[in-house]
Amino acid sequence: MSESSFYVTTPIYYVNGVPHVGHVYTTIACDVLARFQRMLGKDVFFLTGTDEHGIKVQREAEARGITPKQLADENSEVFRALFERFELTHDRFIRTTDADHSEVVTAIYQAMYDAGDIYLDTYAGWYCAGDEAFYDESEIDMDAKLTIDSGKPVEWVEEESYFFRLSKYKEPLLQWYASDPSVVRPESRYNEVVSFVQGDLRDLSISRTTFDWGIPLPTDPERHVLYVWVDALTNYLTGVGGLGQDDEAYQTFWPADVHMIGKDILRFHAVYWPAFLMSAGLPLPKQVFAHGFLISEGRKMGKSFGNGLDPFVLADEYGLDLLRYYMLREVPFGNDGKFVQARVVERNNAELADNYGNLVNRTIKMLGRFRDGVLPAYSAHDDDAQLIATAVETRDAIVEHMRVLAFDRALEDTLRLSTALNLYLQQTQPWKLAKDEAQAERLGQVLYNTIEGIRWVTILLSAFLPEATSRVLNALGATASERTFAGLSEWGSWGGGQTIEAPPVLFTKLELPPQPEPQPEGAQEPEVEGELRIDFEEFLKVEMRVGLVLDAVKVDGSDKLLKLSVDLGEEAPRTVVAGLAQSLAPKDLVGRRFACVTNLKRRKIFGIESQAMMLAADTREGGLQLSSFGEDVAPGTRIS
Ligand code: MSP
């Protein structure tokens, strides 16, 4: 690994289906990061691709009457085409059926085997083909035979299997987490992983005999195929020529700077993967960052839930820049976020078109009118010091935000600089200065500063909005180095004398999505993606009341759940099971009053019936905060 390099990876995507917008989300986040790191001058390697083996893909192929390889070829191609459509800048699109990959997998397996970490035994337990994961009973709703986290079915499996001695790596893993909390981010995910490993960390079954769509186990190839996650995780080594494929690339880029993943696959990346690497004697990644889900209609967007929007259609409808901007601006990276089309439109109109786009257009127009489009040279004026200081602070803040993957903050601050430039125009009023010959020099300073400010904002936005910003930078005549952070070293060091013409329209204002037609009385209202408003009557259907927490205890066998006893002003308190344990301790809850939804259908969680739901919001750090009330509100009071 070299200091001037940067290696970022996406998860590789299952090919049992075609991509949905959730897949694009991770890949866009990595693309923004890759572009940003290149702007900082780093030698970047950005890896993405498809995960093609395993029972899930084999079963889907069987259902469709084709071979798994045919299915993989077909769907992998759709992912590849999608990432091309989104103009993503990955350096390799890896497939786990690539020839070099099976060599690397064989090599890492052999190293784990040679370390004495693999043994033969029998696996008897639950397997979820949808997640390609083994689950304990404590992680399953045993009545429904569905996993609690993903809601997918589990099946009983009993077969001969090779095991990896995961238990041997319990202490080394805990030491790794303790050595640097930034190895797993955000903090809530770090806590989740540490408490999982502190628990009963059992050895992991890593081979299967009941199907054959996988890499044959190097030490027993006739009967066993390798567990798909050992195969899949190793793609991160193959991508940069690990284990003898390309030593130079490997030396430059390994260990990875960040494995970006969704929070559902945290355990594989932050527990199993580092343990495999330790066993094979290889360096560990610098960070695993787990982001939240894009949700729609209250559930994770995805094919199996039928609420995954087609990303090709979205790209045509909104354009690439706007989708990138929205996905990373709307929610802090790490938290779950709703994909609401009406919000996409609002952000486009207010932030991109009115704030930034309008700033660019009107300033360049003024330069045309007052100076024939010729940019004056920079000269300093005391009144401009504040604006320049804001620009410098913003630049430095953004480097820090991007270091911790706070994309939303980076965008918020950049927009604030754009607002400051709009304000600067309002205060200096160049249109008035232009009427007074004696103010010619001041007019030149104002025009220069605004355009220099536009260049700064544009560079700071360019990893997020590559299309629009390259049009602006072309119009400004910025050279390649004047489009990077090197070009932001000193205010006023750039330009003067060149002619600037207005770029083509940057952002067009969009209409809000159409409202649904009124339905005849009693008819089922269709769910409309992007529809923000509901009738008051509909709102009243949700019964929310103030609940006083009387007692709170951890649910046995779960890291996340608390069992609460809540006084809702009724004869007896209700039991509420809530996923709060990683953010809030019982002492933060007992004796306090919170907003509860009290008329939801009852649900069994971990075998306990939950009789209400508490309202919570994600914090920026990935924790949770509950909506609370003071002592002067009686338990059971309706919230409206
Ligand atoms: N093949 C495994 C990953 C192997 S990595 C060595 C896998 N594939 S997946 O296709 O099911 O999911 C890939 C990624 O997409 C995961 O990080 C998952 O969290 C993410 N997403 C799937 N649906 C999503 C949303 N609705 N929102 C955000 N990300 C989502 O898991």
Side-chain angles (χ1 to χ4, degrees), residues 11-14 20 22-23 25-26 51 229 232-233 235-236 261-262 264-265 269 291-294 300-301:
I12 48 173
Y13 303 99
Y14 286 129
H20 59 74
H23 298 133
Y25 179 62
T26 323
D51 185 355
W229 272 100
L233 288 160
N235 93 88
Y236 301 133
I261 57 164
D264 52 336
I265 53 175
H269 284 81
H291 62 70
F293 294 144
L294 282 183
K300 175 183 169 197
M301 289 173 93

Side-chain angles (χ1 to χ4, degrees), residues 412-611:
E412 194 179 318
D413 283 8
T414 311
L415 255 274
R416 206 173 297 132
L417 179 57
S418 179
T419 305
L421 287 160
N422 277 311
L423 218 71
Y424 176 74
L425 285 178
Q426 253 170 47
Q427 282 159 354
T428 52
Q429 304 199 321
W431 47 93
K432 282 203 181 146
L433 298 173
K435 290 189 185 141
D436 182 355
E437 268 301 307
Q439 296 285 2
E441 191 190 347
R442 183 67 190 134
L443 173 63
Q445 287 166 339
V446 168
L447 290 172
Y448 179 90
N449 282 325
T450 316
I451 289 189
E452 173 67 330
I454 287 173
R455 188 178 70 94
W456 280 50
V457 170
T458 304
I459 291 174
L460 296 174
L461 286 175
S462 63
F464 295 90
L465 306 172
E467 284 186 327
T469 54
S470 80
R471 268 182 268 148
V472 176
L473 293 166
N474 289 345
L476 299 185
T479 62
S481 75
E482 287 163 354
R483 291 167 191 237
T484 68
F485 267 74
L488 296 184
S489 53
E490 200 187 332
W491 184 273
S493 62
W494 162 84
Q498 79 267 41
T499 302
I500 296 176
E501 277 174 29
V505 178
L506 295 177
F507 307 100
T508 29
K509 292 241 189 151
L510 300 172
E511 300 275 322
L512 282 171
Q515 306 289 309
E517 292 285 312
Q519 295 290 306
E521 196 80 5
Q524 184 80 28
E525 286 269 340
E527 297 231 32
V528 179
E529 183 59 40
E531 167 64 333
L532 267 183
R533 298 175 215 303
I534 54 170
D535 292 335
F536 189 59
E537 285 67 33
E538 273 179 274
F539 166 70
L540 284 179
K541 285 186 203 158
V542 182
E543 187 186 87
M544 284 184 280
R545 295 186 184 278
V546 176
L548 169 65
V549 177
L550 304 174
D551 189 25
V553 286
K554 289 194 96 176
V555 171
D556 268 353
S558 164
D559 306 333
K560 296 183 190 155
L561 296 176
L562 289 180
K563 181 177 152 195
L564 312 171
S565 166
V566 181
D567 175 3
L568 283 152
E570 298 162 333
E571 271 182 13
R574 293 199 200 183
T575 300
V576 176
V577 181
L580 304 172
Q582 274 157 2
S583 311
L584 295 160
K587 69 172 172 33
D588 303 325
L589 299 163
V590 175
R592 294 186 56 203
R593 287 148 215 251
F594 301 104
C596 302
V597 179
T598 47
N599 64 341
L600 279 177
K601 286 198 180 122
R602 306 227 162 153
R603 241 186 100 198
K604 262 199 173 169
I605 307 174
F606 250 65
I608 308 168
E609 185 181 83
S610 184
Q611 300 164 335

